[in-house]
Amino acid sequence: MILFVFPKLKGVFKGNCFEDVNDIKMAVVMELQRIKEESFQECKKAWQTRLEKVNVRDGKVYVSIKIKTLKQTRRVKEMCSVLPNITHTILLVGGGPAALVCAETLRQNCYQGRIVMVTKDTLPPFDKPKLSKAMNVDRSSIVLRSSGFFQQYGIEVRTEKEAVTVNTRDKAVTMKDGGVLRYDQLLISTGCRAKPLSCPGSDLTGVKLLQRYEDAKDIDASCLGRKAVVVGTSFIGMEVASYLVKKASSVSIVGTTKYPYERSLGSEIGNMTMQMLEEHNVKFYMNDGIAEIRGENGSVKEVLLKSGTLLEAEVVIAGIGVIPNSDFLAGSEVEIDSKKAVVVDKFMRTNVADVFSAGDVTSFPLTSRGDQRVNVGHWQMSQAQGRVAALNMLNIPTKIESVPFFWTVLLGKSIRYTGYGEGYTELVFKGKVEERKFLAFYIKDDTVVAAASLMFDPAVAQLAELMAAGQRITKAQTQAEDLSWLQM
């Protein structure tokens, strides 16, 4: 028997906090679903009965499983390695989940040429979503694969390397340090960067962006016992504010809408999240914006809002959106849309032969919305796209059919979301938002296009399965008292 111990206060699997043993088991199932790339139902059937014991003691979660069972379900699929006499090279520009899954999928499918991954980060592929949830995390705990793993499977990872130009005719990528890397096939998976503030004073010491591991550590240290102002009330801004409630002497949030998440999750859920943080003395300044950041001796001293309100501040953290990292593609003939995203088809191919793209940097046709072209910045979708790109590089025709799925964590509570809700016209709730236990259906044209939940697992995971299978879920189904069609 082997015992896994998870700190409950930091959460099980990316910050989720579960009080009920069955919820903990479900979290384990959902994590195994991600690792094994199987459906939720397959993992639930295979694993839920294998977890021997789940106990909560002294603020920690103890999950035990038989060693024999664990060995039967390896975390790493069988993979080949590189052969020195094969010169064919696949270059992966970017070191996020799309690039990592692409590299692993190539090796899982017997590709034995060179795989070279370049990233401007100081770390090899790491768990970036964790940075806004646990900013003081140790680097060793967020690195997704060890250096030994990359060596074993012949994946060359070069950190602190930034691509500046791509010549698609010569199949060459020039790096910032002057080096040139040649490729036979190329994956563009450079993700997005945090959008900076543009107001007067945005260059003062104490104005922060969360982009890299080092940024998270810097924000954590800078805010300790100091006055923090967070600009932006979407996922990054709210997660950062949630984390800082126990670190900073005060936390203020500035948002341009009436409620947080108003455009993505709706006003009801947004109002609930605002109340959650207000209970921890977070101050909200909504329907407002930053006019100026004022300083003293080069450092932040106060923030002037457009309404005229003046906030004391020592640190300002911006979470106002992202910009696709596609500038280096200028002149490459690779098609870029008006929002700077790389345009791909359902096979993750760009308009240039042998050039693929995956992850947050892409604009792709979303099957569940009738092939509407979208840009989705979700970890799960990046992984799925990396896999699809790899298979098509190997001439294994595969379309991207995944349904978006993500979660955000506030004060230990996890809100899960699936689908693509832009343009929804109605909301149907099960449970009660004010009791912080609900399932929300986002409706457009009498059809469910997205869903969100809190303390209602595994409803959203089940909905993702149904949507991925192409099932249309109607408004009438969501309004019925009987939810047996969810197969929970």
Side-chain angles (χ1 to χ4, degrees):
M1 191 77 71
I2 190 167
L3 181 68
F4 295 97
V5 182
F6 304 98
K8 179 169 174 288
L9 295 179
K10 291 185 179 178
V12 179
F13 305 122
K14 291 190 185 267
N16 298 314
C17 187
F18 300 97
E19 300 294 338
D20 183 79
V21 166
N22 290 326
D23 286 342
I24 296 167
K25 283 190 175 184
M26 197 59 63
V28 176
V29 170
M30 293 176 75
E31 175 69 357
L32 291 164
Q33 173 193 1
R34 180 187 68 78
I35 293 168
K36 293 173 67 59
E37 297 180 359
E38 295 176 352
S39 74
F40 179 80
Q41 288 297 337
E42 288 171 332
C43 275
K44 183 177 179 182
K45 182 179 179 181
W47 282 94
Q48 199 168 22
T49 58
R50 298 187 191 183
L51 302 175
E52 303 296 326
K53 293 180 181 179
V54 180
N55 295 304
V56 179
R57 296 198 309 271
D58 303 323
K60 294 181 178 179
V61 176
Y62 296 80
V63 179
S64 56
I65 189 170
K66 291 180 179 177
I67 295 176
K68 181 180 178 182
T69 303
L70 192 65
K71 287 182 177 179
Q72 290 171 346
T73 51
R74 295 176 297 174
R75 290 180 65 97
V76 180
K77 292 183 178 181
E78 186 174 344
M79 295 167 63
C80 66
S81 189
V82 65
L83 289 181
N85 60 329
I86 298 178
T87 59
H88 189 279
T89 300
I90 294 179
L91 177 61
L92 314 176
V93 180
L100 178 61
V101 172
C102 181
E104 293 190 15
T105 303
L106 290 169
R107 291 290 187 237
Q108 289 164 4
N109 287 273
C110 299
Y111 173 74
Q112 293 185 289
R114 285 183 72 200
I115 300 176
V116 181
M117 182 190 301
V118 293
T119 172
K120 64 180 181 180
D121 285 314
T122 59
L123 299 179
F126 66 97
D127 190 349
K128 195 170 183 179
K130 213 166 195 174
L131 295 183
S132 56
K133 300 172 178 69
M135 305 180 81
N136 63 344
V137 67
D138 184 76
R139 70 174 62 211
S140 63
S141 69
I142 60 172
V143 171
L144 297 172
R145 296 296 189 195
S146 67
S147 58
F149 172 88
F150 294 116
Q151 291 172 5
Q152 180 179 353
Y153 297 110
I155 301 168
E156 302 173 42
V157 179
R158 305 181 185 182
T159 58
E160 300 182 75
K161 298 292 182 182
E162 183 178 357
V164 290
T165 62
V166 176
N167 185 325
T168 52
R169 294 181 182 180
D170 294 342
K171 292 191 170 183
V173 177
T174 302
M175 311 307 292
K176 192 174 183 178
D177 62 8
V180 177
L181 296 175
R182 300 194 177 275
Y183 66 85
D184 293 283
Q185 292 172 299
L186 173 67
L187 179 75
I188 300 163
S189 54
T190 43
C192 296
R193 62 186 181 274
K195 186 178 180 180
L197 293 169
S198 59
C199 62
S202 58
D203 57 345
L204 288 168
T205 299
V207 178
K208 312 288 185 181
L209 292 174
L210 178 57
Q211 183 66 44
R212 307 169 304 145
Y213 168 77
E214 291 80 9
D215 296 332
K217 299 292 282 188
D218 177 42
I219 293 169
D220 177 67
S222 299
C223 290
L224 187 61
R226 306 180 80 189
K227 302 178 183 72
V229 172
V230 178
V231 186
T233 55
S234 194
F235 298 98
I236 296 299
M238 290 290 282
E239 286 182 354
V240 168
S242 171
Y243 173 79
L244 291 177
V245 295
K246 294 183 179 179
K247 295 281 184 174
S249 61
S250 67
V251 180
S252 301
I253 304 182
V254 182
T256 57
T257 55
K258 186 176 181 181
Y259 299 109
Y261 308 118
E262 192 168 318
R263 297 187 184 97
S264 54
L265 300 180
S267 58
E268 296 93 338
I269 297 174
N271 184 40
M272 177 206 71
T273 62
M274 189 161 75
Q275 291 174 357
M276 287 173 62
L277 268 65
E278 284 176 335
E279 290 168 7
H280 288 75
N281 299 315
V282 175
K283 303 295 183 185
F284 283 84
Y285 298 86
M286 304 301 290
N287 287 325
D288 215 332
I290 306 293
E292 180 185 359
I293 302 172
R294 296 174 177 173
E296 185 175 81
N297 298 323
S299 297
V300 172
K301 181 183 179 183
E302 57 192 17
V303 174
L304 176 65
L305 303 186
K306 291 179 179 179
S307 63
T309 303
L310 197 61
L311 306 179
E312 288 186 281
E314 294 168 283
V315 183
V316 175
I317 306 107
I320 57 172
V322 295
I323 303 168
N325 289 316
S326 60
D327 294 347
F328 72 103
L329 295 171
S332 69
E333 300 181 356
V334 174
E335 183 182 358
I336 307 296
D337 71 11
S338 60
K339 297 181 180 178
K340 293 193 173 184
V342 179
V343 177
V344 296
D345 61 14
K346 293 178 79 71
F347 300 92
M348 309 315 296
R349 301 175 301 200
T350 71
N351 61 309
V352 178
D354 294 321
V355 178
F356 298 76
S357 187
D360 297 4
V361 74
T362 62
S363 169
F364 69 99
L366 182 62
T367 301
S368 61
R369 289 298 297 267
D371 290 342
Q372 175 185 343
R373 187 162 289 281
V374 300
N375 171 247
V376 174
H378 302 335
W379 186 262
Q380 160 266 353
M381 185 58 75
S382 293
Q383 291 179 315
Q385 291 179 351
R387 177 178 177 274
V388 169
L391 293 173
N392 287 298
M393 286 176 171
L394 300 175
N395 294 316
I396 304 173
T398 308
K399 294 181 180 180
I400 184 69
E401 303 283 5
S402 295
V403 175
F405 182 98
F406 74 93
W407 57 92
T408 187
V409 178
L410 299 177
L411 303 170
K413 299 294 184 181
S414 179
I415 298 174
R416 306 188 191 281
Y417 183 96
T418 190
Y420 188 78
E422 184 178 286
Y424 76 91
T425 55
E426 293 181 77
L427 258 175
V428 175
F429 286 99
K430 295 295 180 182
K432 294 183 178 180
V433 176
E434 61 270 21
E435 293 179 3
R436 299 174 189 175
K437 184 175 183 179
F438 63 85
L439 172 61
F441 298 99
Y442 298 80
I443 314 291
K444 184 178 182 181
D445 298 330
D446 202 44
T447 300
V448 174
V449 293
S453 74
L454 176 61
M455 303 296 290
F456 223 99
D457 289 333
V460 168
Q462 293 283 55
L463 279 162
E465 287 282 309
L466 295 174
M467 294 168 76
Q471 292 193 34
R472 177 176 177 262
I473 304 162
T474 66
K475 177 183 174 181
Q477 284 178 277
T478 68
Q479 291 175 322
E481 290 190 18
D482 182 10
L483 292 181
S484 58
W485 56 271
L486 258 178
Q487 303 173 18
M488 288 170 50

